Amino acid sequence: MSSEQKPFLQIVRGDPGPEEIAALVAVLTARARAAAAARDGDRPARPSRWADRSRLVRNTFAGDLEPRGPGAWRASALPR
């Protein structure tokens, strides 16, 4: 290796095996690709509304008729 080229990855401590180095390189490669895709604006498509878990959150039965905010506990017992 010439003096002008620096290694891309250097192990400074320990004695990792080939499998450990391969796993590290795979993780670093995946992160670099994800960062490049985020920079380029290549985001994955949004999941469909059927796959969206927020639709499982229940709304109140009364909808917007139910009082909310400060003092709502007082208004909840009053007839409408």
Side-chain angles (χ1 to χ4, degrees), residues 6-69:
K6 292 184 180 181
F8 177 73
L9 181 66
Q10 182 179 3
I11 309 296
V12 294
R13 193 178 290 176
D15 187 25
E19 297 87 10
E20 293 171 323
I21 293 174
L24 178 63
V25 169
V27 168
L28 292 176
T29 302
R31 286 193 53 134
R33 286 183 181 167
R39 271 194 313 271
D40 294 341
D42 297 336
R43 292 197 166 87
R46 287 186 61 175
S48 70
R49 289 289 294 160
W50 287 103
D52 188 10
R53 309 246 335 143
S54 67
R55 68 184 179 87
L56 299 176
V57 177
R58 295 179 56 186
N59 290 330
T60 59
F61 180 74
D64 288 336
L65 300 175
E66 192 171 338
R68 292 185 174 90

